[in-house]
Amino acid sequence: PDDLDAIIHLAGLNPERAATAGDGDAALKRANRDATVRLAELAAAAGVGRFLFLSTANVHAAAKDRPVIEDDEPAPDNLYAASKL
């Protein structure tokens, strides 16, 4: 659409929050990785200027002495976090 200038993507499959994972790792990759890539491609093709993707801090190892930051080394500790990475 011509009047769309931003997309905020918060969606995801998370079986740890009572969603049905279906076939496990493959379902998580389809929902959280592949669908996100496709949404970003469609947004770019439509000329959407901003794409904000919110993931999970769980893609990083938890730091006990400070907040997790984007520059921390990725270290997902479960399939959900890995699919969001």
Side-chain angles (χ1 to χ4, degrees), residues 8-69:
I8 300 171
H9 176 37
L10 302 146
L13 176 65
N14 186 348
E16 294 175 8
R17 299 224 173 142
T20 302
D23 56 351
D25 190 33
L28 287 167
K29 287 179 181 175
R30 276 193 311 275
N32 297 337
R33 182 194 63 197
D34 301 346
T36 298
V37 168
R38 185 66 181 133
L39 180 60
E41 291 170 345
L42 290 169
V48 176
R50 293 178 185 90
F51 187 89
L52 178 62
F53 170 59
L54 282 77
S55 183
T56 175
N58 292 334
V59 301
H60 302 288
K64 298 191 185 326
D65 60 336
R66 62 176 177 73
V68 173
I69 61 170

